[in-house]
Amino acid sequence: MSILETKKLTKRFDGVVAINGLSIGIEAETITGIVGPNGSGKTTLINVLSGMLPFENGSVRVNNAENLRVIRPRNIPLYGITRTFQNIRLFEQMTVLDNIMVVLTKRNVFSALFERHTAYRLKQAEDVLRAVNLWEKRNDLAINLSYGQRKLLEIARALAMQSDIFLLDEPFAGLFPEMVKTVSGIIKDLKDHRKTVVLIEHNMNLIRELCDHVIVMDGGVLLSQGVPERVLAEKKVIEAYLGK
Amino acid sequence: MDIIPQIIANSIIAGSVYTLIAVSFNLIYGATKFFNITHGVMTAIGAYAVFFFGKQMGLSVWVAVLIGVLIAGMIGWLLDRFIYRPLREKKASQLALLVASLGAFTVLQALIAIIFTSRFQTLTHGVGVQKTFEIAGGIITQTQVLIVIAALVVTAGLMFFLKCTRFGKAVRAVSDDNEVSKIIGINTDRIIGIIFFIGSAIAGLAGILVGFDTAIEPTMGLVLLLKGVIAAIVGGIGSIYGGAIGALLLGFVENFGIIKIASEWKDAIAFGLLILFLIFRPRGIVRT
Ligand SMILES: Nc1ncnc2c1ncn2[C@@H]1O[C@H](COP(=O)(O)OP(=O)(O)O)[C@@H](O)[C@H]1O
Ligand SMILES: [Mg+2]
């Protein structure tokens, strides 16, 4: 059964219909690729699913929450969702380590008031930072990292959330080959740990390598979906990418 | 007699008062990004609470001060909970929030005047009962010593709190990116509420200390707010230590500025400093 589902989802920006009656389902414990030309509504879909944009029509079902018509950002962790951003969003003025520690903060504000890190939390932070090779950089400010390192830190922050569903918006864009390997390793590892990954990506080789399922969007609608080998060979999909 | 030591002492004292306002203003501004005018009236709320509980009800000074600080904090929290937070939820503009806080400022100030009249009042029982100290040729009263200590403790305390505690990290995260903070599970409204409490309590303390040092009146908040905000902008809006540095600079510039001219020029000097910074270094000393 799908863990995340949209029904006739529609999102408009003034004149533009960015998502147009989209109905899709994401299977639990799989890696789903979302592809489509620029402006096809992929980022908007993730923004809507992570509660960062309201939507006009349709509904969303996630984990056990049925028929959501409004998704509140503060409920996103409760739904077991975490995400990364196409345009990286870190806590720029905080250190690499604190960007992770802040995620590991106890949800109870009052007990966190005067508390400093415990050894246990530090170990958790160390694990995710080592996974992206940033442990050595832990005391640098996020703003001083290179583009690729910032991208990796954002992925590490998502890992620290220990969610069920990871929505990753172009996590490979602009990365050096070394870093691409690191990130694809992490994504495979998430699947091995029975997590669900939704991956927006333009590199079809990566889609073929990683994804169980691929969804093709074009102009805010579902163009095609299925196993990557078949879908990526479809004429209408190739045309959508190359332009008609 | 050499007047320089006294001017230095006066600069530090004024700078300390401005520090209390500027750092607490910046704390709230950092987390909410709106220009919280009501912050000024918290000084009068704290001072009048002490006037009421200490002088009129006869509670001991320390108890009255504690109550005054807590009441200021509590009113700050309530304003956020029932005015600013609903506005934030409705995605109101910064301008709408500013106007709302101007309204709250006016209402609270008027309430104080209605309850306590607009007369000047003192918090102490007599004049000249204060102990004074001489430091390197400058005379400074007991209250003024407390003002300087309070400014140091509050600034250092806030900086430690923000840097080293988990709650502080969450505050910095909210200040940096409220939306992302929400989706990683930080209860941003709760955090902002607590920030309002802490910031307003500090402003209340400033008003109380000013009250013991000079006198109180319902409108005392406006000039304190203006000086605090000038210090905050000069130092770096939203930054704690920027606020403290800006406040100290403002204290020195004001007091050294009036060596040769009438002290009525103080406010003009303060605005002159603000304008210079807005033109030549708009992001303040620490460049936020
Ligand atoms: N915040 C926004 N305001 C107005 N239009 C937007 C906004 N975000 C996206 N759009 C529009 O929605 C469409 C889909 O954009 P997007 O979801 O970013 O596409 P993709 O991620 O597939 O490249 C585009 O036409 C884009 O211009
Ligand atoms: Mg995009």
Side-chain angles (χ1 to χ4, degrees):
Chain A
M1 197 185 81
S2 48
I3 191 170
L4 183 60
E5 209 174 79
T6 69
K7 277 189 209 134
K8 299 205 172 105
L9 189 71
T10 298
K11 171 68 200 171
R12 289 190 189 85
F13 295 107
D14 299 320
V16 185
V17 188
I19 300 179
N20 196 352
L22 187 70
S23 301
I24 55 165
I26 307 289
E27 292 301 308
E29 299 172 27
T30 63
I31 302 174
T32 301
I34 299 186
V35 303
N38 280 329
S40 57
K42 307 180 297 293
T43 295
T44 302
L45 176 63
I46 286 194
N47 284 341
V48 166
L49 292 177
S50 57
M52 301 191 97
L53 286 175
F55 53 96
E56 285 81 39
N57 285 306
S59 66
V60 172
R61 188 178 61 73
V62 50
N63 265 325
N64 299 319
E66 301 267 352
N67 286 327
L68 297 174
R69 292 177 174 280
V70 179
I71 301 179
R72 292 187 199 290
R74 65 162 176 267
N75 289 335
I76 286 305
L78 303 178
Y79 297 146
I81 294 179
T82 189
R83 69 167 292 181
T84 64
F85 295 85
Q86 186 175 351
N87 54 333
I88 311 165
R89 283 171 79 170
L90 295 167
F91 301 117
E92 306 283 357
Q93 299 299 329
M94 290 164 61
T95 62
V96 167
L97 180 61
D98 280 350
N99 265 274
I100 304 300
M101 291 308 296
V102 75
V103 174
L104 301 171
T105 296
K106 270 218 196 79
R107 299 292 176 248
N108 182 342
V109 174
F110 289 99
S111 67
L113 256 179
F114 296 101
E115 205 177 331
R116 305 187 63 186
H117 339 141
T118 59
Y120 168 68
R121 299 285 187 193
L122 259 176
K123 182 74 182 72
Q124 280 181 300
E126 182 177 345
D127 288 346
V128 295
L129 284 177
R130 282 201 189 281
V132 295
N133 306 317
L134 284 177
W135 178 243
E136 266 65 50
K137 294 267 174 195
R138 63 187 173 280
N139 294 321
D140 291 14
L141 288 184
I143 198 168
N144 294 333
L145 296 180
S146 73
Y147 176 83
Q149 289 168 335
R150 289 160 56 74
K151 210 115 193 160
L152 289 172
L153 178 55
E154 210 190 29
I155 290 168
R157 181 175 70 192
L159 292 178
M161 291 288 293
Q162 301 183 308
S163 307
D164 302 327
I165 305 168
F166 291 75
L167 310 177
L168 309 178
D169 197 348
E170 304 200 15
F172 296 104
L175 293 190
F176 293 113
E178 251 337 275
M179 290 172 166
V180 169
K181 252 189 229 147
T182 305
V183 174
S184 67
I186 287 171
I187 292 174
K188 286 175 189 159
D189 209 46
L190 283 171
K191 187 185 165 190
D192 290 344
H193 285 84
R194 313 186 58 192
K195 306 290 191 186
T196 306
V197 179
V198 176
L199 173 69
I200 297 179
E201 180 50 46
H202 287 296
N203 181 332
M204 294 311 151
N205 292 329
L206 281 167
I207 292 283
R208 281 192 198 92
E209 181 191 333
L210 292 170
C211 298
D212 305 293
H213 189 87
V214 63
I215 288 171
V216 187
M217 288 178 69
D218 190 19
V221 301
L222 177 67
L223 188 66
S224 180
Q225 62 173 327
V227 276
E229 275 312 323
R230 180 177 61 74
V231 170
L232 297 182
E234 280 176 22
K235 196 163 167 246
K236 62 181 175 186
V237 171
I238 295 166
E239 274 176 354
Y241 255 98
L242 298 178
K244 282 150 216 174
Chain B
M1 197 183 90
D2 191 5
I3 55 163
I4 297 298
Q6 190 61 50
I7 294 173
I8 291 175
N10 292 350
S11 305
I12 293 174
I13 294 158
S16 299
V17 171
Y18 302 157
T19 295
L20 289 171
I21 312 284
V23 298
S24 52
F25 180 85
N26 269 353
L27 180 69
I28 294 174
Y29 183 90
T32 60
K33 305 287 182 290
F34 94 90
F35 214 85
N36 177 28
I37 291 174
T38 333
H39 198 58
V41 82
M42 296 303 154
T43 60
I45 288 172
Y48 275 90
V50 171
F51 177 73
F52 178 74
F53 289 103
K55 215 169 169 185
Q56 297 188 323
M57 305 275 287
L59 297 183
S60 88
V61 171
W62 296 110
V63 174
V65 169
L66 185 66
I67 295 175
V69 168
L70 291 178
I71 286 181
M74 203 60 221
I75 291 181
W77 185 87
L78 287 169
L79 286 172
D80 177 60
R81 180 64 191 82
F82 293 106
I83 299 178
Y84 309 135
R85 181 166 148 187
L87 284 171
R88 277 199 304 277
E89 272 159 16
K90 293 203 167 65
K91 302 234 183 306
S93 65
Q94 306 303 81
L95 187 64
L97 281 154
L98 180 127
V99 172
S101 81
L102 180 61
F105 178 97
T106 316
V107 168
L108 288 169
Q109 187 167 287
L111 279 176
I112 295 173
I114 289 165
I115 299 169
F116 297 99
T117 78
S118 342
R119 269 205 313 273
F120 268 103
Q121 313 271 9
T122 57
L123 292 184
T124 47
H125 284 281
V127 200
V129 292
Q130 282 200 44
K131 235 204 265 167
T132 58
F133 303 89
E134 200 191 314
I135 301 168
I139 308 264
I140 174 166
T141 69
Q142 200 178 1
T143 305
Q144 291 167 342
V145 171
L146 284 176
I147 289 175
V148 176
I149 292 173
L152 284 172
V153 170
V154 162
T155 307
L158 280 181
M159 281 169 66
F160 171 82
F161 181 68
L162 290 179
K163 201 162 173 55
C164 300
T165 68
R166 287 205 202 162
F167 179 80
K169 289 183 216 294
V171 171
R172 285 192 291 146
V174 171
S175 304
D176 209 319
D177 193 330
N178 187 297
E179 223 179 3
V180 172
S181 298
K182 268 189 194 146
I183 65 161
I184 63 165
I186 294 175
N187 189 337
T188 56
D189 285 326
R190 177 84 80 55
I191 299 250
I192 289 174
I194 296 174
I195 286 305
F196 262 92
F197 181 89
I198 296 172
S200 304
I202 294 169
L205 177 67
I208 294 167
L209 289 166
V210 167
F212 278 110
D213 189 34
T214 56
I216 65 174
E217 59 175 326
T219 55
M220 66 190 279
L222 185 60
V223 72
L224 285 172
L225 175 78
L226 287 176
K227 295 300 174 64
V229 168
I230 290 173
I233 293 172
V234 164
I237 191 100
S239 155
I240 300 301
Y241 89 105
I245 291 171
L248 215 55
L249 177 68
L250 180 61
F252 272 89
V253 169
E254 270 189 359
N255 283 284
F256 275 86
I258 56 165
I259 291 183
K260 291 262 180 323
I261 53 176
S263 63
E264 278 72 21
W265 284 95
K266 245 187 202 174
D267 294 350
I269 291 169
F271 282 106
L273 183 71
L274 174 67
I275 289 163
L276 281 179
F277 267 82
L278 288 179
I279 295 171
F280 296 108
R281 204 170 166 113
R283 283 156 64 210
I285 296 170
V286 303
R287 291 190 192 272
T288 49

